[in-house]
Amino acid sequence: MALHPEALIVGGYAVILLVVAAALDWLAQHSQQRSERFRTAGFSYLPQHDAWTCSEDAMLWPMEYDELHHLVRYRAKASVCNSCLVKPSCTSSANGREVTRAVAPWPHSEAGRFHRGISMVLVGCAAVLQLVAAARHLEPSTLVLGLPMLFTIWLGIRYSAHFRAAPANFPEPTPATGLRVTQTSRTRWGSDAWEGK
Amino acid sequence: MLKASTTERSPDVRRPMMVSRGWVQAAALVILFGFAVLGFLAFRTYETGPPIADRVVSQDGKALFRGDDVIKGQKLFLKNGLMEYGSVLGHGAYLGPDFTADYLHRAALSVTRQYGGAASSTAQAKVIEDFKTNRYDEATKTLTYTAAQAVAFEELVTYYGNYFGPTSGEKGMRPDAITDPTQIRQLTSFFAWTAWSGSTLRPDKNYSYTNSWPPEPLVDNKPTANVMVWSVLSLIALLAGIGALFAAFGRWGERFGWKGRQADTISFRPPGDVVLTPAQRACAYYFLVVGLLFFIQVMVGAASEHYRADISSFFGFDLASWLPYNLVRTWHVQLSIFWTATSFLAAGIFLAPMITGREPRRQHWLAYILLGALALVVFGSMIGEALDIHGVLPDVLGAFGMQGWEYLDLGRFWQVLLTVGLFIWVIILFRGLRGRLRVESRGNMPWMFFYTALAIPAFYAVGLLTSSDDSFTIADFWRFMVVHLWVEDFLEIFTTVLVAYIFVMLGVVRERVALTVIFLDIILYSAGGVIGTMHHLYFSGSAAETMALGAFFSAMEVIPLTFLTVEAWSFLQLGARQESKSATPFPHRWAVMFLVSVGFWNFLGAGIFGFLVNLPIVSYYEIGTALTANHAHAAMMGVYGMLAMGLALFCLRYLIPTERWSDKLAKISFWSANIGLAWMSFATLLPLGILQLYASVNDGYFAARQLEFITNPTNSVFEWMRLPGDLVFIIGGVLPFLWLCWLGVRYRVGGSRDQLDEILFTEITEREPVEVGDR
Ligand code: HEM
Ligand SMILES: [Fe+2]
């Protein structure tokens, strides 16, 4: 009862697909973090204080939790920034520099969902390939496909759970007016739940 | 910034350059160096290409064929669209065999048989001796075949007579494609010449004219020392280069300009408020053409795929007599260039007035003329190709028919017309930008936009040097100047400029950062990309140093594509990071998502899948197999297809009145196109490519390219696996996109003027500072 080579090929390839899916997901997450660098380079986050420091050693404190975008907004004191020498390369705001930090888990953004979606396509592809191979060679030896299949299902559930839980973080269009930013994105100066934490 | 130009300046005072001169110098140096080396290699290719003997005779003096026949055979090969059916020297389509490897293998089998068969103890050595010895006499320009080789040649004339004659229909070609005995002989002569180049040792070298490609044990063709050494060296160069670049960026990256500036708080101008110019409105028709051509491309693609999955019947319908494989493949390949290019052209025309702030009079006339010329080229060339492949185009009209070089299939006449059209496009851009160019330093973004646009027709024009009168080696050299330099250098850079400009207009980045990214891209892409062209020419008869330099520098290409792509990949995601508190909604949700996907596919399709086939040792066994198709689809559709779609959506958002616009269709199209492409790649092309590569190493390249292998049961399963992905791509990806393009024409916004408020957003100053207390 030799294993049919096709089942072996498909099983092996399915494992490759899963590894690639995981690698792509990890890389996408990494590239997303780098894209944050365009905004936060020069700033460092201090987890123990939940605050940021800038290159000029000013502190940025949490100001607001933005429900819509699932991020925390941090701000420096306006008086510090407005008298800062490097302000022109930092911000045009008169209210002090703002930095944001995403709190929702990866993939927390629309771009994240896209990348996660691609990884899920790979997982789906692995699943379908194995089912087809199993159906074509209905014999006991094909049971070895069970192992990669379990792995496939596990990764599929894992990825899709995140996918279902994480919103697209994009203002949803309302039927009447096309795109419209909902109220929650409005700044709630000072009066936020994070204040005085 | 952009607003600067709205305040009128006196024409002589240019706005100073926004970044240091060092960037310009570095970019110029890199490009000059690249082209100097390419020039040298071009010269060497003329010098060292395999000679075409005036006469080929057998040892007993019998004339077999003439140099003339080889060139005529090459022309027949091209004119009949056979480069879109199979390949020679690894270049061409992948359904049919590689005729170089095919001839070589069959000839070697015949000679072995004549020497007593594989069982004979001496036969093998004698066969190798026959095929490796260089019997070309430079003085008399005469090539001598051994008696056994001459017999093999005659046998193969008969074989190919049958192949292209009575049995061509069942192989996916037009039935009875070539029946004239003289033509068959010429075609066979051409194959024989390529096979001779592949097996015969160069004078004073221990490898053949093609670096001993194709792999063929019967004549002892195996990877040469050069193939091995340069594979390893290029791999090391790549790893070292990546390491160095990451280290450099870790250390100095923050000086490069993106200093973590806060996104400005901005208010987007609702698309309905943006008044368009007449030329911008003309773009609506461009995008309808884009949508239509895209649709036709995938439909003929589906037909050509069907040949691979099930060659002999199209749901019981004899497709080959109407739309033979090579015809649908020709159209598929040509349209992939046409529709994406049309979208880029339209985007250029659309952006120019936004950059300048006004539009010269009658600009739209030029735009309509260009569109007319494009439509003429597209449909004219497609009809010409069909007539030629069906063998009904009279020879005098040859310039309108099939030129036949893969990717440059269109007839000469159309090729010239297209080149002219592209230059008209540059004129349109120049007219449109002139007002702005006058007041800007020549290193600033408007000029970069213009230069990179100019490079596109300039390098398309180089393709005119590809002549079917030259030997394949030389023609192929020039062909890849277009095929490669377009996609791997100039289009990448044009893409960066376009995207950077759009981002500046949308307030995503400041102009200085955008310009820095542009220069960085130019340097990094060109450092590897220019000389990297030679990665297509490892085995087509150029000298060994072509392979060495090609391998080395194309590996360097992957440095930007891993590093820069991660960088560009994240850069492209910036547009989607709409986290600032805009007072008005961001209008380009799906356009920027398409850009995100461009970043992803650039990394995966171009960077990873490209590198997968890039090492000489891999390419040696892999060239012209499904792994190339995998890379080609993931890179071409993934990068330029998605970009073309994204640009179209960006412009259509302004062309379609808001109440007619559908974000939902855009979303469906985005997801379906990406899911469909990923599925195609991972469910079919990648696994097929791996299996074929395995077969090529294990059973020989000849076997891996035969129809029997391609249509074997396991392969067929993978081919059928494509179907769901293809359906998603076509129904969910292409059709909604086509519908949006149609809406652009159907409900095109009315009213136009030639003065524009260029900026698509206004910065809002935040309300009075609210002092933030310390904790
Ligand atoms: C967006 C960028 C790219 C596009 C659109 C693209 C597209 C293509 C296409 C269409 C082919 C098939 C050519 C043929 O059949 O003759 C091809 C071949 C090839 N590409 Fe790319 N490519 C890109 C980037 C790259 C990169 C970055 C590399 C590696 C450094 C690469 C390496 C190769 C190689 C080695 C081949 C030859 C394979 C063969 O002939 O079998 N490509 N590419
Ligand atoms: Fe290339």
Side-chain angles (χ1 to χ4, degrees), chain B residues 276-284 286-287 341-356 358-360 363-371 374 421-422 424-430 432-433 449 453 494 498 505 647 651 756:
Chain B
L276 300 183
T277 66
Q280 285 181 315
R281 293 182 70 239
C283 291
Y286 278 73
F287 290 118
T342 306
S343 180
F344 301 160
L345 300 189
I349 295 174
F350 195 90
L351 288 183
M354 289 185 164
I355 292 169
T356 313
R358 62 173 171 274
E359 181 169 284
Q363 181 83 326
H364 57 298
W365 290 15
L366 282 175
Y368 283 118
I369 290 173
L370 174 58
L371 183 62
L374 278 178
L422 290 173
I424 295 182
W425 175 66
V426 173
I427 293 172
I428 295 180
L429 290 191
F430 185 73
L433 293 170
F449 187 73
F494 185 64
L498 269 185
M505 288 190 210
L647 291 173
C651 302
L756 279 189

Side-chain angles (χ1 to χ4, degrees), chain B residues 24 59 61 177 187 227 234 239 327 329 338 352 403 412 433 509 615 636 702 735:
Chain B
V24 184
Q59 264 164 343
L187 207 51
V227 169
S234 69
L239 295 178
L327 180 58
R329 208 242 188 206
F338 288 149
Q403 188 173 169
R412 259 298 143 127
L433 293 170
V509 290
L615 293 181
M636 187 67 198
F702 167 84
L735 288 180

